[in-house]
């Protein structure tokens, strides 16, 4: 029984909504986007044929509102809904609501969602189906005594998990028997808070495993195949960062075994459509069922690249009741693909999400490079949604080629306006452990430790480049304002050369033009830089015979963001004086000059301050910036708090002027 | 347009020896410039202690990055207030030039307060006066970064006070013409200096250090016995809020300069100067840098001035006017950086046919509205019976008359000799050139020293003969040597440039750039209509 979909509502946002709309368009299906207040100008809204506003910015008012989404589908005549991932994608009630409204839900049946959404239930089902599971206890009896007894039976180390859990919450690793009781208590309380369900399971902890998952597909007739595996071992805070296909240590025999197990898992719940069976792969080659995701995965592109199939298309076909038309033998894996997730977050501060305007977002294109993104220059990363903003994928004949292409692609990716993990991704891709294909789930912790990834402070060469760039932009600005620009006279001074100073933190960089070529001196170091091209946010300098490419964003005449091949940094030229911004001087509204960590607030409400008094200290780009009072007065309200991240132009505090 | 075929063999012994001699002169000029920079730099700790920028650092922040800067009067006051060539500082405690501020071509004057606290010098105020005249003629916004101890009471000379008043009158004139005048008050500006902010259209005052008072604390105490607080008396904070002398109060030097840049940007100055772009062009076929080498540094060695023209004109191409008539006087037309301009140069003294040719050429240029460039290398008009009878006085006079009255931009370069009335006919300093620059090897004067000394010896010999007494050879030798020494000293470009008898000294290899910059400045001035008023802008 097949029914062709004419109009597809995509109940999601960001890159995945764009991704689904793209395939719908290819298949001749009209698309309906849904959007919240915050997303009124988002790319997915512009991209879709139609768009429905479904409520306020918080997800609870929009993207999680089943009633509004069903109403929008009805209003726009959508005969199917694709849930993407996250939000309502694994919500059995939503799937049921679609059924009730006579709308095709592009996903598995309610039963599969229901079982796989519960760790304990799914594990019981998998054990019954003969799928290898981590030895453990997932019984109904939740008394402490039983849990402790079962844990001891399994043997240390064990993992205590919330049955309804995900994303690492309500999860406790226990090394010693004496710690079990306390771990249960904590996990239970976390589970209750996070999921409203304090059911726990106990499992043997597999140390330093790989996270390997199998992509399965089933059509409505029960024909089920697998499309190979993905290795998603590189994770931070239990979120995937780098994903690849195939798994570097995979063998045909192991793949066949894991594939078989994954198909069994899918069949056990009468699965239809795209699903992912996640396994832990131990060092000894044993693998254990972890969970099944009953939706399209974020990292599906790596599978698409090595199999050549469009997974969204297959999903839609399955939803229409068409046969897959692919046998297991048809599935051939060719080449290697690695995906990097670009998050708006601060790798130096425990990967805390960062929000703000997107001043500039540039991505590369070319052979073996795929970019799935949900933001654009001029847009914003709002605090309401997931901080993943784009996926950059490298594909090549070999793993090394894919890795090299991904590094190149990332080195040409720039995001300005929010903190992001690009430099971290580049660093991780370049780590020998990853390069050799040896990364396990312990990789990030072992490589970066507690402190996370610390981007190195700009060195003399970066400061010289920044100054040369600001110099060239200043020259271009002057030329565009001048009546008669004279190319032959640029950079010429008839007497002693008058260099232009740039002050970054405490460092002075002086730039002199000698004709076209610039000389930037940073202390004792002198850099000769030839600006070959500076326009449209792209710059190329020649230095000692090599070309250095940069992406830049000039937020103002003094404030520049630079993305080099390996580093993203922002600098403010303070040569214009301590109160360089006349417009802001003197009104007592103290705003953050740039993104950074508010280290300290030195005043309290009610304090009397004088112009020039230090009010707060902001740390950005490893430099400490003192924030000074711009008027005499009394500190009125303080908005910032010490230790918090703060965005450029955020109000830190307000000084009330003293009345004469 | 004919392409010139150079006869200079680059790399030949002659080229190399001429080049090395010219490079020595250029090095001498650069060393003198650096001497002043170094001297001023010695005061850096004092400025830093006061939270100030040095004058040179102020200039760095004022100018747009990477844009051309034509320094003016770089040798001003050299050998004037201090006649010792080993200690005399060129510049006159002022840094003057034409540069870009927020994309606007401006006349910039920075008090070099690193040198004797910026006290007025004889050459310095002469240079400033002329710079103001250039600003008025070329319609350039006038920016002055002020910090000056004023007149040096220890070396008081009444003329300085009497003459210097023109500096303030010029500010009034500029305001009335519609040329914006802007002052940043970085430090003290007392007595007469207080009128510097007082007379300017826009005044930015820097907190803590900026000060303007008709009489400083010491003078007030001497005159009235009042013990005053200097900041209360004339501090920028007071002027910004009480007296109203200052429009903009800056936190520090750099901020003051940033405000000045914003003010200039806000004028929208270039939006009122619609201009056509100059025609595209190719650079000279002969590298302008080979001027050093192509030209003998001593004027006594003759050479073809067309070798210089070929290193200035686009594509080394120019059309000669009447090449066979009065051939020692070369008149040509071509383009420099796409802008049409005429050039006149000398391959020797100017004879009657050379003078008539030049006079006619000037009138044609005036008629065609074409700027004229004068390349001075002449020992003057021809003398002797033959030339007197041919009407040298008449033709020379009419050439001087023509050059005096042409209404097109006139740009002069002293590139070799410029003597006697030949200097006048070639648009010398007193003929109101729009711009006039010296090469460091050039020599100027009423006549050559040797010639003058011989002339005076001749006079002495005739006098002795008439009196029937023998010539006192020892006295005559002494006199001859003395005259030669006096002329020799004053002929030097370093001396005359020190006396501000030109607009500055340049590297001969930069002549094309200087010329292009000046032609463009004149072109811009012509295209610009000022919004004038009668009395200047009042500060009420």
């Amino acid at each position: 029984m097949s029914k062709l979909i004419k109009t597809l509502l995509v109940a999601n946002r960001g890159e995945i909504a764009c991704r689904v709309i793209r395939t719908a368009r290819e298949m001749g299906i009209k698309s309906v986007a849904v959007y919240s207040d915050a997303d009124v100008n988002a790319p997915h809204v512009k991209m879709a044929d139609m768009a429905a506003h479904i409520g306020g910015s918080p997800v609870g008012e929009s993207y999680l509102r089943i009633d509004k989404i069903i109403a929008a589908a009805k209003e726009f005549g959508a005969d199917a809904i694709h849930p993407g991932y996250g939000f309502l994608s694994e919500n059995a009630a939503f799937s049921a609501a679609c059924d009730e409204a006579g709308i095709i839900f592009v996903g598995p049946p309610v039963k599969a969602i229901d079982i796989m959404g519960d760790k304990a239930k799914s594990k019981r089902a998998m054990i019954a189906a003969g799928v290898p599971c981590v030895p453990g206890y997932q019984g109904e009896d939740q008394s402490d005594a039983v849990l402790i007894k079962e844990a001891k039976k399994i043997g240390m180390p064990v993992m205590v998990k919330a049955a309804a859990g995900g994303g690492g919450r309500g999860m406790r690793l226990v090394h010693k028997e004496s710690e079990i009781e306390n771990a249960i208590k904590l996990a239970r309380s976390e589970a209750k808070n996070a999921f409203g369900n304090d059911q726990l399971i106990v499992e043997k902890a597999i140390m330093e495993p790989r996270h390997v998952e199998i992509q399965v597909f089933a059509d409505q007739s029960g024909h089920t195949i697998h499309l190979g595996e993905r290795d998603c071992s590189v994770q931070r805070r239990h979120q995937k960062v780098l994903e690849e296909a195939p798994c570097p240590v995979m063998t045909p025999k192991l793949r066949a075994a894991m594939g078989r197990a994954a198909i069994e898992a899918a069949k056990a719940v009468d699965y239809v459509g795209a699903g992912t069976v996640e396994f832990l792969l131990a060092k000894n080659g044993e693998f254990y069922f972890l969970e099944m995701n009953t939706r399209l995965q974020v990292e599906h592109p790596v599978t698409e690249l090595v199999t050549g199939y469009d997974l969204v298309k297959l999903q839609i076909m399955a939803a229409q009741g068409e046969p897959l038309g692919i046998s297991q033998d048809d599935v051939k894996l060719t080449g290697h693909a690695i995906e990097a997730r670009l998050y708006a977050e601060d790798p130096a501060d425990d990967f805390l999400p960062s929000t703000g305007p997107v001043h500039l977002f540039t991505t590369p294109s070319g052979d073996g490079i795929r970019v799935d993104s949900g933001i654009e220059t001029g847009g914003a990363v709002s605090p309401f949604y997931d901080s993943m903003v784009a996926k950059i994928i490298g594909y090549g004949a070999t793993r090394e080629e894919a890795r090299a292409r991904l590094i190149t692609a990332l080195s040409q990716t720039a995001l300005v306006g929010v903190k992001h993990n690009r430099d971290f991704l580049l660093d991780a891709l370049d780590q020998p452990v990853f390069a050799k294909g040896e990364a396990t789930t312990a990789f990030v912790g072992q490589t970066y430790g507690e402190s996370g990834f610390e981007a190195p402070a700009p060195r003399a060469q970066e400061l010289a480049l920044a100054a040369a760039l600001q110099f060239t932009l200043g020259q271009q600005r002057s030329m565009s304002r001048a009546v008669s620009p004279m190319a032959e006279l640029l950079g010429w001074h008839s007497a002693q050369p008058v260099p232009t100073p740039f002050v970054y933190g405490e460092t002075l960089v002086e730039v002199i033009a000698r004709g076209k070529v610039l000389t930037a001196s940073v202390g004792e170091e002198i850099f000769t830089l030839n600006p070959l091209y500076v326009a449209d946010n792209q710059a190329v300098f020649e230095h000692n015979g090599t070309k250095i490419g940069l992406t830049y964003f000039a937020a103002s005449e003094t404030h520049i963001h630079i993305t080099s091949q390996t580093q993203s940094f922002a600098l403010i030229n303070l040569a214009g004086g301590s109160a360089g911004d006349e417009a802001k001087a003197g009104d007592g509204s103290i705003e953050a000059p740039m993104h950074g960590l508010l280290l300290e607030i030195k005043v309290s409400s009610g304090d009397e301050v004088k112009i020039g008094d230090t009010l707060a200290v902001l740390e950005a780009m490893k430099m400490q910036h003192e924030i000074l009072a711009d008027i005499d007065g009394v500190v009125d309200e303080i908005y910032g708090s010490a230790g918090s991240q703060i965005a450029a132009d955020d109000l830190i505090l307000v000084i009330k002027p003293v009345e004469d | 347009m004919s392409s010139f075929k150079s006869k200079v063999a680059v790399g030949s012994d002659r080229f190399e020896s001429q080049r090395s001699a010219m490079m020595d002169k250029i090095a001498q000029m650069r060393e003198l410039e650096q001497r002043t920079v170094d001297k001023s730099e010695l005061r850096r700790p004092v400025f830093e202690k006061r939270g100030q920028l040095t004058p040179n650092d102020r200039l760095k922040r004022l100018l747009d990055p990477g844009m051309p800067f034509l320094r003016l009067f770089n040798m001003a006051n050299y050998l004037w207030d201090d006649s010792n060539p080993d200690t005399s500082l060129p510049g006159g405690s002022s840094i003057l030039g034409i540069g870009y501020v927020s994309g606007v071509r401006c006349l910039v004057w920075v008090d070099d307060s690193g040198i004797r606290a910026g006290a007025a010098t004889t050459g310095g105020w002469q240079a400033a006066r002329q710079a103001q005249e250039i600003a008025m003629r070329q319609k350039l916004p006038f920016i002055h970064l002020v910090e000056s101890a004023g007149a040096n009471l220890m070396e008081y000379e009444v003329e300085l006070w009497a003459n210097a008043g023109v500096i303030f009158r010029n500010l009034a004139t500029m305001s009335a013409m519609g040329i914006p005048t802007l002052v940043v008050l970085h430090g003290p500006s007392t007595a007469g200096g207080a009128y510097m902010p007082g007379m300017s259209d826009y005044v930015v005052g820097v907190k803590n250090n900026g000060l303007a008072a008709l009489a400083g604390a010491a003078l007030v105490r001497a005159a009235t016995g009042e013990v005053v607080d200097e900041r209360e008396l004339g501090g920028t904070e007071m002027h910004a809020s009480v007296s109203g002398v200052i429009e903009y109060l800056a936190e520090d030097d750099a901020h003051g300069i940033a405000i000045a840049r914003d003010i200039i940007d806000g004028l929208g100055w270039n939006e009122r100067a619609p201009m056509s772009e100059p025609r595209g062009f190719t650079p000279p076929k002969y590298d302008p840098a080979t001027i050093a080498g192509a030209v003998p540094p001593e004027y006594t060695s003759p050479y073809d001035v067309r070798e210089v023209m070929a290193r200035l004109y686009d594509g080394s191409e120019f059309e000669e006017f009447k090449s066979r008539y009065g051939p020692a006087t070369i008149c040509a037309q071509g383009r420099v950086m796409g802008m049409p301009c005429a050039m006149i140069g000398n391959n020797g003294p100017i004879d009657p046919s050379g003078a008539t040719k030049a006079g006619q050429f000037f009138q044609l240029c005036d008629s065609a509205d074409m700027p004229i460039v004068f390349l001075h290398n002449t020992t003057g008009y021809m003398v002797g019976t033959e030339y007197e009878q041919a009407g040298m006085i008449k033709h020379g006079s009419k050439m001087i008359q023509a050059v005096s009255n042409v209404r097109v931009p006139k740009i002069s370069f002293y590139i070799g000799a410029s003597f006697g009335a030949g200097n006048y006919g070639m648009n010398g300093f007193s003929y109101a050139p729009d711009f006039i620059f010296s090469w460091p090897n050039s020599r100027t004067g009423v006549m050559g020293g040797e010639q003058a000394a011989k002339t005076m010896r001749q006079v002495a010999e005739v006098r002795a003969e008439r009196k029937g007494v023998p010539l006192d050879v020892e006295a005559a030798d002494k006199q001859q040597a003395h005259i030669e020494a006096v002329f020799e000293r004053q002929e030097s470009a370093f001396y005359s440039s020190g006396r501000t008898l030109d607009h500055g000294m340049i590297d001969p290899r930069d002549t094309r750039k200087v010329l292009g910059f000046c032609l463009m400045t004149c072109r811009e001035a012509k295209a610009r209509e000022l919004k004038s008023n009668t009395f200047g802008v009042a500060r009420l």
Side-chain angles (χ1 to χ4, degrees):
Chain A
M1 180 201 75
S2 74
K3 178 180 180 266
L4 283 183
I5 295 169
K6 291 196 186 70
T7 304
L8 178 69
L9 182 141
V10 183
N12 215 301
R13 61 178 304 283
E15 67 87 17
I16 193 60
C18 298
R19 162 73 192 88
V20 172
I21 291 167
R22 178 164 64 77
T23 289
R25 182 153 299 155
E26 272 175 28
M27 295 176 73
I29 298 169
K30 283 205 171 68
S31 54
V32 182
V34 292
Y35 63 96
S36 66
D37 289 347
D39 277 340
V40 63
N41 291 315
H44 76 281
V45 179
K46 295 179 196 167
M47 202 173 156
D49 297 314
M50 294 165 272
H53 178 245
I54 51 166
S57 301
V59 291
E61 295 173 22
S62 49
Y63 297 106
L64 291 180
R65 284 289 295 269
I66 296 173
D67 54 341
K68 289 198 174 181
I69 290 170
I70 298 285
K74 285 181 177 163
E75 186 192 339
F76 286 88
D79 40 17
I81 293 178
H82 192 299
Y85 53 70
F87 295 140
L88 298 170
S89 61
E90 292 172 287
N91 185 316
F94 181 55
S95 177
C98 289
D99 285 351
E100 201 174 306
I103 296 167
I104 297 170
F105 176 77
V106 181
V110 176
K111 178 189 158 195
I113 299 174
D114 192 44
I115 294 173
M116 289 303 183
D118 182 305
K119 279 191 163 42
K121 260 198 225 173
S122 64
K123 197 166 177 187
R124 288 195 291 268
M126 291 305 107
I127 290 169
V131 176
C133 290
V134 180
Y137 172 77
Q138 47 280 328
E140 306 275 1
D141 189 341
Q142 289 284 312
S143 69
D144 281 10
V146 169
L147 290 172
I148 293 168
K149 193 186 89 197
E150 290 292 335
K152 285 180 178 168
K153 203 162 88 191
I154 296 161
M156 294 304 114
V158 296
M159 195 69 92
V160 181
K161 292 178 175 176
R169 285 180 299 177
M171 213 191 263
R172 278 274 175 291
L173 175 64
V174 185
H175 289 283
K176 289 190 212 143
E177 291 192 354
S178 57
E179 293 166 355
I180 300 170
E181 190 169 355
N182 194 39
I184 290 169
K185 214 168 102 195
L186 287 169
R188 190 171 271 152
S189 124
E190 273 181 37
K192 180 86 188 161
N193 286 333
F195 312 108
N197 174 349
D198 64 1
Q199 288 251 321
L200 297 179
I201 62 173
V202 184
E203 288 181 340
K204 181 168 183 63
I206 313 294
M207 300 310 287
E208 296 182 25
R210 283 172 184 269
H211 175 114
V212 177
E213 59 190 30
I214 302 286
Q215 176 71 54
V216 294
F217 243 102
D219 62 21
Q220 291 183 3
S221 71
H223 172 55
T224 307
I225 58 168
H226 75 85
L227 299 180
E229 78 287 354
R230 294 183 288 261
D231 185 325
C232 314
S233 299
V234 179
Q235 304 183 0
R236 51 94 187 124
R237 295 166 85 219
H238 301 284
Q239 293 267 13
K240 294 164 187 167
V241 178
L242 297 172
E243 299 115 330
E244 60 185 309
C247 165
V249 295
M250 188 54 66
T251 61
K253 203 176 146 200
L254 181 59
R255 179 178 296 126
M258 291 180 81
R260 227 171 10 248
I263 290 171
E264 286 311 315
K267 285 190 163 167
V269 292
D270 299 329
Y271 204 80
V272 176
T276 295
V277 185
E278 297 186 340
F279 295 100
L280 290 179
L281 177 61
K283 284 188 163 27
N284 61 7
E286 298 282 324
F287 60 91
Y288 306 98
F289 173 83
L290 195 58
E291 62 178 3
M292 181 173 186
N293 293 316
T294 57
R295 53 169 161 87
L296 191 66
Q297 294 281 85
V298 173
E299 58 273 23
H300 75 274
V302 293
T303 299
E304 294 189 321
L305 287 166
V306 296
T307 61
Y309 297 119
D310 178 336
L311 299 199
V312 175
K313 186 174 176 184
L314 294 180
Q315 278 189 302
I316 292 173
M317 284 167 60
Q320 291 181 150
E322 292 177 70
L324 270 179
I326 305 166
S327 74
Q328 190 62 56
D329 284 347
D330 292 339
V331 178
K332 296 270 182 294
L333 305 182
T334 311
H336 201 102
I338 308 176
E339 173 181 280
R341 296 191 188 187
L342 187 66
Y343 286 98
E345 64 181 15
D346 186 358
D349 188 18
D350 203 21
F351 302 98
L352 280 179
S354 169
T355 60
V358 177
H359 295 306
L360 182 73
F361 179 57
T362 58
T363 53
S365 58
D367 283 351
I369 294 171
R370 170 170 164 180
V371 178
D372 284 14
S373 71
I375 56 164
E376 60 189 359
T377 298
V381 177
S382 80
F384 303 104
Y385 314 114
D386 191 79
S387 57
M388 195 197 76
V389 293
K391 303 180 305 202
I392 322 288
I393 307 116
Y395 173 71
T398 62
R399 182 174 190 271
E400 195 45 38
E401 187 174 73
R403 191 177 73 94
R405 281 181 168 164
L406 178 55
I407 288 174
T408 306
L410 278 169
S411 71
Q412 294 165 1
T413 299
L415 172 57
V416 175
V418 291
K419 287 191 176 285
H420 56 79
N421 68 336
R422 186 204 74 143
D423 297 359
F424 165 70
L425 292 171
L426 278 166
D427 194 82
L429 284 165
D430 210 30
Q431 289 290 335
V433 171
F434 183 82
K436 284 187 269 179
E438 292 170 358
T440 68
T441 48
F443 169 74
V444 173
Q446 285 171 354
T447 310
Y448 300 101
E450 286 294 306
S451 55
F453 170 74
E454 284 281 342
R459 296 164 301 149
Q461 178 169 322
E462 275 82 41
L463 297 178
L465 280 164
L469 186 55
Q470 288 200 306
F471 182 95
T472 306
L473 292 170
Q475 184 184 50
Q476 289 177 353
R477 199 161 42 237
S478 182
M479 277 173 72
S480 69
R481 291 174 185 177
V483 174
S484 25
M486 292 160 284
E488 197 176 326
L489 295 176
L490 289 181
W492 168 72
H493 292 176
S494 68
Q496 301 293 323
V498 183
T500 303
F502 296 86
V503 179
Y504 303 123
E506 295 287 304
T507 309
L508 169 72
V509 186
E510 288 204 323
V511 183
I512 301 175
R514 296 181 200 281
K516 264 211 76 175
V517 178
L518 308 180
T519 307
S521 54
V522 189
E524 298 294 300
E525 288 186 77
I526 292 177
F527 298 86
T528 304
L529 299 164
N530 185 6
L532 301 176
Y533 179 85
V534 178
D536 303 327
N537 302 112
Q538 299 295 330
V540 181
F541 286 91
E542 194 223 287
H543 174 57
N544 286 345
T546 54
K547 284 182 187 173
I548 303 174
L550 302 172
T551 301
Y552 66 88
F553 174 76
S556 70
E557 290 188 16
T558 52
H559 195 158
I560 193 145
H561 296 261
I562 292 176
T563 308
S564 74
Q565 300 241 328
T566 55
Q567 267 190 283
S568 312
F569 54 97
L571 293 168
I572 296 177
N573 175 18
L574 303 172
S578 54
D581 195 346
E582 166 77 352
K584 279 184 195 162
D587 68 358
S589 299
I590 307 297
E591 295 168 355
M594 64 197 322
H595 283 267
L597 175 68
L598 201 51
L599 279 185
E600 191 182 356
I601 295 184
K602 298 197 167 205
V603 292
S604 319
S605 190
D607 284 0
E608 264 187 52
V609 291
K610 290 234 168 284
I611 289 184
D613 284 357
T614 304
L615 302 171
V617 181
L618 181 76
E619 188 186 73
M621 300 315 300
K622 301 235 170 189
M623 293 189 231
Q624 295 194 0
H625 301 261
E626 295 204 325
I627 298 184
L628 309 178
D630 60 351
I631 54 167
D632 293 347
V634 175
V635 176
D636 192 16
E637 247 173 297
I638 298 181
Y639 299 96
S641 59
S644 67
Q645 286 290 324
I646 193 158
D649 302 331
D650 276 2
L651 199 57
I652 298 172
L653 56 85
V654 169
I655 305 170
K656 228 164 95 183
V658 182
E659 302 293 336
D660 286 329
Chain B
M1 216 56 86
S2 323
S3 188
F4 179 77
K5 265 248 173 301
S6 174
K7 293 188 180 61
V8 170
V10 174
S12 66
D13 287 353
R14 181 167 171 207
F15 180 90
E16 288 304 329
S17 85
Q18 290 184 165
R19 182 173 182 280
S20 129
M22 187 65 96
M23 294 309 288
D24 285 349
K25 293 279 184 192
I26 296 168
Q28 189 187 348
M29 171 180 84
R30 294 296 182 220
E31 275 163 27
L32 285 170
E33 286 174 346
Q34 192 62 42
R35 180 191 286 178
T36 302
V37 173
D38 291 345
K39 177 82 177 174
S40 185
E41 182 67 20
L42 291 178
R43 302 280 291 174
R44 177 175 290 276
V46 177
F47 286 105
E48 285 182 350
K49 205 172 148 198
R50 293 196 295 238
Q52 289 183 300
L53 294 172
T54 67
N56 279 296
D57 283 350
R58 290 174 194 159
L59 178 67
K60 290 174 190 176
R61 281 164 173 80
L62 179 64
L63 295 176
D64 288 350
M67 295 296 275
F69 181 56
L70 177 63
R71 184 71 197 271
L72 300 172
F73 304 101
N74 50 340
M75 289 294 128
N77 207 42
Y78 181 59
L79 302 177
W80 201 344
D81 286 343
D82 174 2
S83 61
N84 182 349
D86 297 327
T87 56
S88 183
L89 294 170
S93 305
S94 295
I95 308 167
L96 288 154
I98 302 175
Y100 284 86
V101 176
S102 298
V104 174
R105 193 190 298 260
C106 294
L107 197 311
V108 172
W109 175 10
V110 181
D111 289 341
D112 194 348
S113 43
I115 292 167
R116 291 168 35 144
T121 61
T122 314
W125 88 261
Q126 291 279 8
R129 172 184 60 76
Q130 292 191 56
Q132 287 179 324
E133 287 164 5
I134 292 171
M136 287 190 273
R137 189 144 165 191
Q138 308 303 339
K139 305 174 189 169
L140 302 172
F142 190 80
I143 302 174
H144 187 182
L145 307 187
V146 172
E147 179 169 42
S148 169
N152 188 339
L153 297 181
M154 305 299 283
E155 294 166 16
Y156 173 70
E157 280 173 353
V158 67
E159 327 66 293
L160 183 64
W161 158 77
N163 286 323
V166 70
I167 297 284
F168 307 113
R169 189 174 76 91
N170 282 341
L171 289 171
T173 309
M174 281 190 252
S175 185
M177 285 174 76
I179 294 173
T181 55
L182 188 155
V183 151
V184 182
L185 193 57
H186 290 280
S189 183
T190 44
Y195 288 98
M196 205 54 82
M199 300 291 299
S200 294
D201 289 346
Y202 299 90
V203 180
V204 182
V206 178
K207 279 185 186 172
N208 301 326
N209 291 305
L211 183 88
L214 295 180
L219 180 52
V220 169
R221 191 156 187 198
T224 69
E226 184 191 355
V227 179
V228 294
D229 172 81
E230 209 162 54
R231 301 310 298 169
E232 287 289 311
L233 179 73
T236 40
E237 300 84 352
M238 183 282 289
H239 282 309
S241 53
V242 183
S243 73
V245 168
I246 283 171
E247 278 78 39
Y248 310 88
L249 192 60
E251 295 300 320
D252 53 25
D253 282 355
H255 184 214
I257 290 161
I259 294 172
R261 290 178 52 80
D262 285 347
I263 293 168
I264 297 294
D265 188 32
L267 293 174
W269 186 248
N270 286 336
E271 286 151 38
R272 294 190 301 278
M275 278 182 76
S276 59
E277 277 290 299
R279 193 192 274 189
F281 61 89
T282 54
K285 196 166 76 184
Y286 301 106
D287 185 353
T290 59
I291 281 179
V295 173
E298 296 304 327
Y299 69 87
T300 43
S301 317
Y303 70 97
D304 187 352
V305 74
R306 290 176 302 180
E307 294 285 356
V308 177
M309 291 180 179
R311 285 162 177 79
L312 301 179
Y313 273 129
D314 295 347
S316 300
E317 289 175 352
F318 52 91
E319 208 62 64
E320 248 193 278
F321 175 76
K322 281 191 166 173
S323 63
R324 288 153 187 273
Y325 181 81
T329 303
I330 312 292
C331 297
Q333 282 171 298
R335 285 174 184 266
V336 171
M337 299 187 190
M339 296 170 284
C341 75
M343 285 192 201
I344 177 168
N346 319 105
N347 276 352
I350 306 167
D351 60 14
S353 46
T356 53
K357 168 169 136 180
Q360 181 193 358
F361 186 62
F362 295 159
Q363 294 183 32
L364 282 171
C365 290
D366 185 83
S367 179
D369 204 11
M370 187 181 297
I372 308 171
V373 179
F374 302 83
L375 304 174
H376 290 241
N377 188 21
T378 183
T379 48
Y381 288 108
M382 276 295 207
V383 293
T385 316
E386 183 192 343
Y387 299 103
E388 294 291 2
Q389 288 183 357
M392 190 69 259
I393 293 175
K394 183 175 78 179
H395 296 309
S397 297
K398 289 300 153 180
M399 177 177 168
I400 294 171
Q401 182 179 303
V403 88
S404 301
N405 290 320
V406 289
R407 294 160 297 178
V408 293
K410 300 184 287 184
I411 299 164
S412 288
F413 293 97
Y414 291 152
I415 68 170
S418 186
F419 288 123
N423 170 274
Y424 304 162
M426 287 292 286
N427 190 52
F429 178 67
S430 47
Y431 285 77
D434 286 77
F435 290 102
I436 180 165
F437 294 96
S438 296
W439 288 5
N441 60 305
S442 66
R443 298 191 159 268
T444 59
V446 65
M447 61 182 77
E450 201 187 326
Q451 204 186 349
K454 276 185 181 159
T455 307
M456 291 317 290
R457 192 182 181 104
Q458 210 78 63
V459 170
E461 279 168 6
V462 169
R463 192 190 297 129
E465 205 177 282
R466 204 171 53 225
K467 287 185 180 168
V469 294
L471 179 73
D472 180 346
V473 176
E474 199 185 322
D477 284 353
K478 215 175 145 188
Q479 177 188 280
Q480 188 170 347
H482 173 71
I483 292 173
E484 271 183 37
V486 166
F487 270 69
E488 163 79 17
R489 180 175 150 79
Q490 298 199 19
E491 257 172 38
S492 154
F494 288 94
Y495 182 91
S496 53
S497 208
R499 299 278 153 152
T500 69
L501 299 176
D502 57 29
H503 295 160
M505 186 180 282
I506 60 164
D507 181 337
R509 297 169 299 169
D510 280 348
T511 308
R512 176 175 155 88
K513 290 195 172 81
V514 173
L515 178 54
F517 188 92
C518 293
L519 284 170
M520 198 59 91
T521 306
C522 295
R523 217 173 114 87
E524 228 178 274
K526 190 164 184 291
R528 187 180 300 285
E529 254 188 75
L530 294 176
K531 176 110 176 10
S532 64
N533 58 77
T534 319
F535 292 102
V537 177
R539 178 178 283 109
L540 299 172

